[in-house]
Amino acid sequence: MGNLIINGASVPNIPWEDRPASSNPKKEIMWRYSKNPVIPRDLTLYSNSIFNSAVVPFNGEFAGVFRCDDTSRHMDINAGRSKDGINWVIDDHPVKFIKTDPQLPDSEYKYDPRVVFIEDRYYIIWCNGYNGPCLGMAYTHDFEKFYQMENPLMPYNRNGVLFPRKIGGNYAMYHRPSDAGHTAFGDIWYSQSPNLVYWGKHRHVMSPNAGWQSTKIGAGPCPIETTEGWLVFYHGVLTSCNGFVYSFGAALTDIDEPWKVIARARPYIINPREIYEVTGDVPNVTFPVAALADKDTGRIAIYYGCADTTTGLVFGYIDEIVAWVKANKM
Ligand code: BMA
């Protein structure tokens, strides 16, 4: 148990369960919560499914934004709160975003939110419907009022993930250019902004390559700053005879130039294998979107979407994961 986290938060009440005796660290560097899934599909009055959702520590407890598809299969974002990060109360209705500019276009839909604290507020970034999927952004101070900002990137783009601080004087994000449909390609890119409105200085980060990450890849939770580089969890997709299979793995990228990859692990960390991951509205999906990390113990808890239906949790230690990424570097 070690501590490589820089600039992280103390999260003494991070959701946690020790590695069970049945879990071999040589085979799996992170282990699943025994009571997965933690968020059932019908937790809110109108939800068909709750998955690919984002949480942060908030006032000694936890808050989050949740992808809730309703029973018309409309995709939207609902706010929620929890004392322990496991038992959640999620609003029945989607967030009503307040436009920071009346000219801002309406969103046709919103999905796969990420949330991160930067400087003095929480920023939310999601896949936003505006003549096709693009990136949408908002901020909140209290998880009650949410202020929608300009869309950082035009269609087609998904999987926008903000860094928790400026890098080289600019705000920074990973994202994935895509197409209008169920994109059969996808690289992770890095872009920079002086003001969170105008984005540029684009740099290529990683392409898909082999095995579980051979079709497309996209960033997951917001990167975690460690002494060994940014620890980046990302999803990877392979195309089987029955369609896409979504697993997730990890890489380390350079602290000052995060488009440079230091190490990228060849094996996945989690792949669809439990019943709630292989069956659901979209079978064979494990999709990470949020991580809680405690800088005092080095514990990490990742929230991930299970088969586009429910939300699960996996646990691990940052130092073990960093060492594993380096040891399994491709
Ligand atoms: C992606 C997104 C994710 C989803 C995944 C698997 O394109 O729509 O929200 O989890 O497909 O269906």
Side-chain angles (χ1 to χ4, degrees):
M1 180 159 82
N3 186 359
L4 308 173
I5 302 175
I6 312 174
N7 290 327
S10 290
V11 192
N13 54 344
I14 187 170
W16 188 255
E17 198 172 65
D18 285 335
R19 182 190 285 277
S22 58
S23 167
N24 180 349
K26 290 206 167 77
K27 189 91 193 270
E28 51 177 28
I29 195 64
M30 300 188 76
W31 58 96
R32 290 169 175 81
Y33 182 45
S34 61
K35 299 195 183 76
N36 270 352
V38 284
I39 302 177
R41 66 184 304 164
D42 53 0
L43 188 63
T44 80
L45 203 48
Y46 307 107
S47 55
N48 165 77
S49 42
I50 307 178
F51 57 107
N52 300 0
S53 300
V55 315
V56 284
F58 182 71
N59 288 347
E61 299 181 349
F62 301 93
V65 280
F66 298 82
R67 170 172 174 177
C68 295
D69 292 8
D70 70 16
T71 50
S72 72
R73 298 298 294 266
H74 174 72
M75 304 179 284
D76 219 320
I77 295 172
N78 297 24
R81 287 165 190 272
S82 173
K83 286 194 191 315
D84 58 9
I86 289 176
N87 297 289
W88 287 88
V89 177
I90 299 178
D91 295 343
D92 286 329
H93 295 282
V95 170
K96 286 198 172 73
F97 287 85
I98 302 159
K99 291 182 182 181
T100 51
D101 177 343
Q103 304 284 352
L104 268 176
D106 292 335
S107 304
E108 292 148 20
Y109 51 79
K110 302 187 182 80
Y111 68 84
D112 293 2
R114 273 76 167 182
V115 59
V116 61
F117 187 79
I118 312 176
E119 294 162 359
D120 64 348
R121 63 192 71 185
Y122 300 88
Y123 287 93
I124 295 153
I125 186 164
W126 66 86
C127 180
N128 191 40
Y130 177 48
N131 294 287
C134 62
L135 297 185
M137 200 188 287
Y139 69 84
T140 182
H141 292 284
D142 53 12
F143 287 85
E144 280 169 19
K145 287 196 171 117
F146 294 79
Y147 298 89
Q148 189 162 355
M149 305 156 68
E150 289 292 338
N151 294 331
L153 291 173
M154 69 177 89
Y156 301 105
N157 203 299
R158 297 176 167 102
N159 296 304
V161 176
L162 290 164
F163 282 71
R165 65 168 173 86
K166 286 183 174 174
I167 299 169
N170 286 318
Y171 296 98
M173 74 167 156
Y174 287 145
H175 59 94
R176 198 199 73 193
S178 63
D179 66 14
H182 298 292
T183 317
F185 61 89
D187 291 21
I188 298 177
W189 287 77
Y190 178 83
S191 297
Q192 309 173 51
S193 171
N195 54 9
L196 291 171
V197 175
Y198 299 103
W199 291 86
K201 298 181 84 170
H202 312 293
R203 301 284 184 271
H204 181 258
V205 182
M206 293 195 280
S207 297
N209 50 28
W212 65 273
Q213 45 184 331
S214 52
T215 299
K216 54 180 169 173
I217 56 172
C222 84
I224 297 167
E225 190 166 6
T226 77
T227 52
E228 311 303 298
W230 293 101
L231 177 58
V232 179
F233 293 94
Y234 64 98
H235 67 261
V237 179
L238 75 73
T239 307
S240 82
C241 56
N242 281 329
F244 289 154
V245 177
Y246 283 71
S247 307
F248 65 90
L252 288 165
T253 59
D254 187 86
I255 288 289
D256 300 317
E257 298 178 327
W259 58 91
K260 294 186 178 161
V261 178
I262 298 168
R264 177 176 176 185
R266 181 179 295 277
Y268 57 69
I269 292 177
I270 294 288
N271 82 313
R273 61 176 59 183
E274 298 297 327
I275 192 73
Y276 52 88
E277 298 163 345
V278 299
T279 62
D281 287 354
V282 183
N284 301 318
V285 181
T286 52
F287 196 95
V289 274
L292 297 171
D294 175 30
K295 77 170 168 55
D296 302 319
T297 58
R299 290 177 173 180
I300 176 170
I302 294 183
Y303 292 79
Y304 68 107
C306 304
D308 283 13
T309 306
T310 58
T311 304
L313 261 178
V314 290
F315 305 117
Y317 284 105
I318 296 277
D319 62 343
E320 291 182 4
I321 297 166
V322 166
W324 177 87
V325 171
K326 288 179 166 176
N328 288 283
K329 178 177 164 170
M330 57 171 72

